[in-house]
Amino acid sequence: MDSALASDRGAVYLPQTVRTAAKLLVVGHFAVGKTTFVGSLSEIRPLRTEETMTQAGALIDDLAGIEEKTTTTVAMDFGRLTLSDSLVLYLFGAPGQQRFTRMWKDMTNGALGALVLADTRRLEQSFPVMAVLEEQGLPYAVAVNHFEGAPRFAETEVREALDLLPETPLVTCDARDRISSTHALIALVQYLQARHTR
């Protein structure tokens, strides 16, 4: 388990001027890139609870198309992003398997919203994740994480396939790339701000 206190990118401790913290979730189905996404944005070395997948998990977790996956998140990922001298953003990545649904619900407490990562090879697996968010009344945006070799579709096709409301943001990203991940996060934050000012 990787939970070091040292930082690879900057200060470990927050400046004393920080007065406001905001919590956002990064969610999505199994093996969609949540751990990678949180890691690409976090200014501190992210807390990761990845463990080696076992033979027992092979009976439950569908590895079709992702046979090279050898680890899985068993609790959560956690990262931090300081936005200004007074505001910090905490990113909580939820595990992707449906057996962790109760944990997803607990993680929604205090969250402002969620970014749902999706994979065009397995769009149907996004429905249970979005259902939990809707049940909890948590607003969300969707970011299609592009994997090498994954089919690409027009935004209207993806929006229709996921049955998204017209106001739900839909963007694309590469979870490995900090700038791309930042744009996806900005889409969510702008959506949350717009909802708040209505």
Side-chain angles (χ1 to χ4, degrees):
M1 202 179 299
D2 186 10
S3 59
L5 294 175
S7 172
D8 293 338
R9 295 190 185 160
V12 174
Y13 301 103
L14 286 173
Q16 291 184 351
T17 56
V18 171
R19 297 287 177 255
T20 305
K23 175 183 178 182
L24 294 178
L25 303 185
V26 179
V27 298
H29 57 75
F30 175 61
V32 76
K34 300 174 298 292
T35 297
T36 303
F37 185 92
V38 171
S40 74
L41 285 174
S42 183
E43 67 194 14
I44 59 172
R45 186 174 179 187
L47 175 123
R48 293 181 171 143
T49 59
E50 286 215 317
E51 294 294 337
T52 302
M53 295 177 65
T54 64
Q55 210 43 42
L59 301 173
I60 304 168
D61 300 325
D62 181 9
L63 294 175
I66 51 169
E67 291 83 3
E68 70 282 353
K69 185 165 178 63
T70 60
T71 61
T72 188
T73 300
V74 295
M76 68 174 184
D77 298 309
F78 174 79
R80 185 186 81 199
L81 187 58
T82 304
L83 300 180
S84 72
D85 289 340
S86 61
L87 177 62
V88 66
L89 184 64
Y90 292 118
L91 300 174
F92 288 78
Q97 296 92 324
Q98 283 190 279
R99 62 184 176 272
F100 294 114
T101 299
R102 184 174 177 176
M103 185 182 299
W104 299 348
K105 291 179 180 179
D106 289 343
M107 289 176 75
T108 63
N109 290 329
L112 298 179
L115 184 68
V116 178
L117 292 186
D119 179 351
T120 57
R121 299 170 297 180
R122 299 174 289 146
L123 281 178
E124 72 285 351
Q125 293 181 23
S126 298
F127 287 114
V129 177
M130 294 186 300
V132 168
L133 296 175
E134 289 168 4
E135 179 185 307
Q136 298 299 308
L138 196 66
Y140 62 88
V142 176
V144 173
N145 187 15
H146 278 304
F147 290 89
E148 190 174 328
R152 298 191 183 228
F153 301 100
E155 180 182 327
T156 53
E157 292 178 283
V158 176
R159 185 174 286 283
E160 185 177 335
L162 290 175
D163 194 26
L164 297 179
L165 294 173
E167 64 270 19
T168 303
L170 175 63
V171 297
T172 59
C173 76
D174 179 342
R176 300 166 298 180
D177 181 77
R178 184 177 178 86
I179 294 172
S180 182
S181 296
T182 298
H183 289 304
L185 197 62
I186 288 171
L188 170 63
V189 172
Q190 288 176 334
Y191 175 56
L192 297 176
Q193 285 178 325
R195 285 174 54 93
H196 183 69
T197 56
R198 284 181 197 163

